[in-house]
Amino acid sequence: DGGITQSPKYLFRKEGQNVTLSCEQNLNHDAMYWYRQDPGQGLRLIYYSQIVNDFQKGDIAEGYSVSREKKESFPLTVTSAQKNPTAFYLCASSLRNDEKLFFGSGTQLSVL
Amino acid sequence: GESVGLHLPTLSVQEGDNSIINCAYSNSASDYFIWYKQESGKGPQFIIDIRSNMDKRQGQRVTVLLNKTVKHLSLQIAATQPGDSAVYFCAENWEYGNKLVFGAGTILRVKS
Protein backbone atom coordinates (compact mmCIF):
# COMPACT_ATOMS: atom_id res chain seq x y z
CA ASP A 1 0.00 0.00 0.00
CA GLY A 2 1.27 3.48 -0.82
CA GLY A 3 1.49 5.97 1.99
CA ILE A 4 3.48 7.99 4.45
CA THR A 5 5.06 6.31 7.45
CA GLN A 6 6.09 8.24 10.53
CA SER A 7 8.06 6.74 13.37
CA PRO A 8 8.10 6.45 16.24
CA LYS A 9 4.48 7.08 17.24
CA TYR A 10 5.59 8.33 20.69
CA LEU A 11 8.94 9.89 21.56
CA PHE A 12 10.36 11.31 24.76
CA ARG A 13 13.12 13.86 24.89
CA LYS A 14 15.40 14.63 27.79
CA GLU A 15 16.67 18.10 28.56
CA GLY A 16 19.43 19.14 26.13
CA GLN A 17 18.91 16.17 23.86
CA ASN A 18 18.43 16.17 20.10
CA VAL A 19 15.84 13.74 18.75
CA THR A 20 15.04 12.74 15.18
CA LEU A 21 11.61 11.96 13.81
CA SER A 22 11.41 9.72 10.79
CA CYS A 23 9.18 10.24 7.74
CA GLU A 24 9.18 7.92 4.74
CA GLN A 25 6.85 7.97 1.74
CA ASN A 26 6.40 5.58 -1.17
CA LEU A 27 3.98 7.74 -3.12
CA ASN A 28 6.76 9.01 -5.41
CA HIS A 29 5.94 12.55 -4.30
CA ASP A 30 8.51 15.25 -4.91
CA ALA A 31 7.49 17.56 -2.07
CA MET A 32 7.55 16.79 1.63
CA TYR A 33 6.58 18.87 4.67
CA TRP A 34 6.77 18.94 8.43
CA TYR A 35 4.00 20.51 10.51
CA ARG A 36 3.64 21.01 14.22
CA GLN A 37 0.24 20.68 15.90
CA ASP A 38 -0.51 22.07 19.35
CA PRO A 39 -3.85 21.60 21.13
CA GLY A 40 -6.45 24.10 20.00
CA GLN A 41 -4.28 25.46 17.21
CA GLY A 42 -3.97 24.94 13.50
CA LEU A 43 -1.05 23.15 11.91
CA ARG A 44 2.07 25.28 11.61
CA LEU A 45 4.70 24.70 8.94
CA ILE A 46 8.22 23.93 10.17
CA TYR A 47 10.14 23.00 7.02
CA TYR A 48 9.36 21.86 3.52
CA SER A 49 11.25 20.40 0.60
CA GLN A 50 10.21 20.55 -3.03
CA ILE A 51 13.06 18.43 -4.34
CA VAL A 52 15.93 16.23 -3.16
CA ASN A 53 18.85 18.10 -1.56
CA ASP A 54 16.81 21.29 -1.19
CA PHE A 55 14.56 22.54 1.60
CA GLN A 56 13.12 25.81 2.91
CA LYS A 57 12.18 27.14 6.32
CA GLY A 58 8.53 27.40 7.17
CA ASP A 59 6.91 29.69 9.73
CA ILE A 60 8.45 28.12 12.86
CA ALA A 61 11.82 26.63 11.82
CA GLU A 62 13.85 27.81 14.82
CA GLY A 63 15.11 24.88 16.88
CA TYR A 64 14.54 22.35 14.11
CA SER A 65 16.63 20.94 11.28
CA VAL A 66 15.92 18.68 8.32
CA SER A 67 17.67 16.84 5.50
CA ARG A 68 16.46 15.53 2.16
CA GLU A 69 19.08 13.13 0.86
CA LYS A 70 16.52 10.79 -0.70
CA LYS A 71 13.21 11.45 -2.39
CA GLU A 72 11.43 9.03 -0.05
CA SER A 73 12.78 10.38 3.23
CA PHE A 74 12.54 13.69 5.11
CA PRO A 75 13.71 13.31 8.73
CA LEU A 76 13.15 16.11 11.23
CA THR A 77 15.57 16.75 14.10
CA VAL A 78 14.26 18.59 17.12
CA THR A 79 17.33 20.19 18.62
CA SER A 80 18.03 21.26 22.20
CA ALA A 81 17.50 24.85 21.00
CA GLN A 82 13.76 24.13 20.71
CA LYS A 83 12.64 25.06 24.22
CA ASN A 84 9.04 23.95 23.88
CA PRO A 85 9.13 20.78 21.79
CA THR A 86 6.09 19.02 23.23
CA ALA A 87 3.64 18.71 20.34
CA PHE A 88 2.19 16.38 17.73
CA TYR A 89 4.38 16.37 14.63
CA LEU A 90 2.92 15.64 11.24
CA CYS A 91 4.76 14.83 8.04
CA ALA A 92 3.07 15.31 4.68
CA SER A 93 3.88 14.94 1.02
CA SER A 94 2.47 16.12 -2.28
CA LEU A 95 3.11 16.08 -5.97
CA ARG A 96 5.25 19.01 -7.05
CA ASN A 97 3.20 22.25 -7.19
CA ASP A 98 0.06 20.43 -6.00
CA GLU A 99 -1.69 21.94 -3.00
CA LYS A 100 -3.25 18.68 -1.80
CA LEU A 101 -1.21 17.22 1.04
CA PHE A 102 -1.20 13.61 2.18
CA PHE A 103 -0.37 13.20 5.86
CA GLY A 104 1.30 10.55 7.95
CA SER A 105 -0.13 9.33 11.25
CA GLY A 106 2.00 11.64 13.36
CA THR A 107 4.57 11.46 16.17
CA GLN A 108 3.74 12.69 19.66
CA LEU A 109 6.87 14.22 21.21
CA SER A 110 6.98 14.85 24.94
CA VAL A 111 9.67 16.19 27.26
CA LEU A 112 10.79 14.13 30.26
CA GLY B 1 -2.50 39.22 9.60
CA GLU B 2 -4.90 37.34 7.39
CA SER B 3 -5.77 33.85 8.49
CA VAL B 4 -8.30 31.09 8.27
CA GLY B 5 -10.73 30.91 11.19
CA LEU B 6 -13.69 28.86 12.31
CA HIS B 7 -16.97 30.12 13.76
CA LEU B 8 -17.72 27.16 16.07
CA PRO B 9 -15.13 25.17 17.98
CA THR B 10 -17.56 22.32 18.77
CA LEU B 11 -20.58 21.05 16.88
CA SER B 12 -22.89 18.34 18.23
CA VAL B 13 -25.38 16.69 15.91
CA GLN B 14 -27.75 13.78 16.10
CA GLU B 15 -26.94 10.71 14.05
CA GLY B 16 -28.70 10.92 10.70
CA ASP B 17 -28.91 14.70 10.69
CA ASN B 18 -26.93 16.89 8.33
CA SER B 19 -23.87 18.75 9.65
CA ILE B 20 -22.56 22.11 8.54
CA ILE B 21 -19.07 23.19 9.53
CA ASN B 22 -18.14 26.78 8.78
CA CYS B 23 -14.89 28.51 8.02
CA ALA B 24 -14.16 32.22 7.48
CA TYR B 25 -11.16 33.43 5.56
CA SER B 26 -9.81 36.92 5.12
CA ASN B 27 -7.22 36.58 2.36
CA SER B 28 -9.01 37.53 -0.86
CA ALA B 29 -5.98 36.31 -2.83
CA SER B 30 -6.50 32.68 -1.75
CA ASP B 31 -7.48 30.58 -4.74
CA TYR B 32 -7.64 27.08 -3.28
CA PHE B 33 -9.38 25.68 -0.23
CA ILE B 34 -9.34 22.22 1.30
CA TRP B 35 -11.04 20.32 4.12
CA TYR B 36 -9.39 17.65 6.25
CA LYS B 37 -10.78 15.27 8.86
CA GLN B 38 -8.60 14.29 11.80
CA GLU B 39 -9.48 11.51 14.22
CA SER B 40 -7.86 11.38 17.62
CA GLY B 41 -4.17 10.44 17.48
CA LYS B 42 -4.14 10.23 13.69
CA GLY B 43 -3.03 12.39 10.81
CA PRO B 44 -5.47 14.54 8.81
CA GLN B 45 -7.31 12.85 5.95
CA PHE B 46 -8.32 14.70 2.82
CA ILE B 47 -12.07 15.17 2.44
CA ILE B 48 -12.69 17.59 -0.40
CA ASP B 49 -11.20 20.67 -2.03
CA ILE B 50 -12.38 23.56 -4.18
CA ARG B 51 -10.81 26.27 -6.30
CA SER B 52 -11.92 29.88 -6.21
CA ASN B 53 -13.45 29.68 -9.69
CA MET B 54 -16.13 27.36 -8.29
CA ASP B 55 -18.98 27.95 -5.81
CA LYS B 56 -19.82 24.36 -4.97
CA ARG B 57 -18.29 20.94 -5.18
CA GLN B 58 -19.80 17.64 -4.15
CA GLY B 59 -18.27 14.41 -3.01
CA GLN B 60 -19.63 11.30 -1.39
CA ARG B 61 -21.97 12.59 1.36
CA VAL B 62 -19.99 15.84 1.52
CA THR B 63 -20.42 19.20 -0.17
CA VAL B 64 -18.16 22.23 0.03
CA LEU B 65 -19.62 25.66 -0.59
CA LEU B 66 -17.53 28.74 -1.28
CA ASN B 67 -18.95 32.25 -0.94
CA LYS B 68 -16.29 34.64 -2.13
CA THR B 69 -18.47 37.69 -1.49
CA VAL B 70 -18.38 37.17 2.26
CA LYS B 71 -15.20 35.05 2.28
CA HIS B 72 -16.90 32.02 3.74
CA LEU B 73 -16.34 28.31 3.27
CA SER B 74 -18.56 25.54 4.57
CA LEU B 75 -18.49 21.75 4.67
CA GLN B 76 -21.81 19.96 4.63
CA ILE B 77 -22.00 16.33 5.68
CA ALA B 78 -25.21 14.51 4.83
CA ALA B 79 -26.73 11.89 7.11
CA THR B 80 -24.01 12.25 9.73
CA GLN B 81 -22.75 8.98 11.18
CA PRO B 82 -20.86 8.19 14.41
CA GLY B 83 -17.74 7.58 12.30
CA ASP B 84 -17.85 11.22 11.24
CA SER B 85 -16.92 12.30 14.77
CA ALA B 86 -13.55 14.02 14.45
CA VAL B 87 -11.86 17.41 14.18
CA TYR B 88 -12.39 19.11 10.84
CA PHE B 89 -9.87 21.60 9.48
CA CYS B 90 -10.18 23.99 6.62
CA ALA B 91 -7.08 25.38 4.95
CA GLU B 92 -6.33 27.88 2.23
CA ASN B 93 -3.41 28.18 -0.11
CA TRP B 94 -1.76 31.59 -0.16
CA GLU B 95 1.16 30.58 -2.35
CA TYR B 96 0.74 28.14 -5.18
CA GLY B 97 2.11 24.70 -4.46
CA ASN B 98 3.67 24.95 -1.02
CA LYS B 99 1.86 26.87 1.64
CA LEU B 100 -1.40 25.71 3.17
CA VAL B 101 -2.60 27.87 6.07
CA PHE B 102 -4.76 25.90 8.48
CA GLY B 103 -7.55 26.97 10.78
CA ALA B 104 -7.72 25.79 14.40
CA GLY B 105 -10.35 23.12 13.68
CA THR B 106 -13.94 22.31 14.65
CA ILE B 107 -14.83 19.30 16.76
CA LEU B 108 -17.80 17.38 15.38
CA ARG B 109 -19.59 15.11 17.86
CA VAL B 110 -22.25 12.75 16.61
CA LYS B 111 -24.83 11.61 19.14
CA SER B 112 -26.43 8.19 18.66
Side-chain angles (χ1 to χ4, degrees), chain B residues 21-23 34 41 44 52-53 60-61 78 82 91 94-95 99 105:
Chain B
I21 301 171
N22 296 302
C23 179
I34 188 167
S52 59
N53 61 354
Q60 188 175 15
R61 272 202 313 123
W94 289 11
E95 297 173 17
K99 189 173 177 68

Side-chain angles (χ1 to χ4, degrees), chain B residues 7-107:
Chain B
H7 294 303
L8 300 174
T10 304
L11 177 65
S12 293
V13 299
Q14 196 66 38
E15 181 179 358
D17 288 350
N18 296 336
S19 302
I20 300 176
I21 301 171
N22 296 302
C23 179
Y25 68 95
S26 55
N27 185 356
S28 57
S30 294
D31 62 359
Y32 175 82
F33 305 87
I34 188 167
W35 282 98
Y36 284 94
K37 171 187 179 184
Q38 186 178 26
E39 297 174 85
S40 181
K42 297 183 180 180
Q45 294 175 274
F46 167 79
I47 301 174
I48 193 166
D49 57 2
I50 189 168
R51 295 210 173 272
S52 59
N53 61 354
M54 300 173 69
D55 297 323
K56 178 180 179 179
R57 192 169 187 211
Q58 289 184 291
Q60 188 175 15
R61 272 202 313 123
V62 294
T63 301
V64 56
L65 298 177
L66 177 62
N67 186 331
K68 294 180 286 293
T69 302
V70 295
K71 296 177 186 170
H72 185 266
L73 189 71
S74 68
L75 176 69
Q76 299 180 0
I77 304 174
T80 312
Q81 302 167 0
D84 294 327
S85 294
V87 177
Y88 289 80
F89 295 92
C90 65
E92 61 183 318
N93 193 23
W94 289 11
E95 297 173 17
Y96 178 71
N98 61 24
K99 189 173 177 68
L100 278 181
V101 177
F102 287 83
T106 291
I107 299 171

Side-chain angles (χ1 to χ4, degrees), chain A residues 27-31 33 50 93-100 102, chain B residues 97:
Chain A
L27 300 168
N28 199 32
H29 285 171
D30 290 301
Y33 310 79
Q50 299 277 54
S93 70
S94 72
L95 293 168
R96 192 183 301 185
N97 294 328
D98 188 349
E99 300 97 331
K100 188 188 299 181
F102 293 83

Side-chain angles (χ1 to χ4, degrees), chain A residues 15-61:
Chain A
E15 194 86 26
Q17 186 182 40
N18 292 352
V19 292
T20 298
L21 285 61
S22 171
C23 179
E24 304 277 331
Q25 56 97 2
N26 61 5
L27 300 168
N28 199 32
H29 285 171
D30 290 301
M32 297 187 74
Y33 310 79
W34 275 104
Y35 284 88
R36 171 179 171 140
Q37 185 175 31
D38 293 281
Q41 296 187 38
L43 280 62
R44 292 183 290 167
L45 184 62
I46 304 173
Y47 268 99
Y48 63 99
S49 167
Q50 299 277 54
I51 198 168
V52 174
N53 292 324
D54 187 46
F55 49 83
Q56 287 78 39
K57 293 181 179 180
D59 300 319
I60 56 166

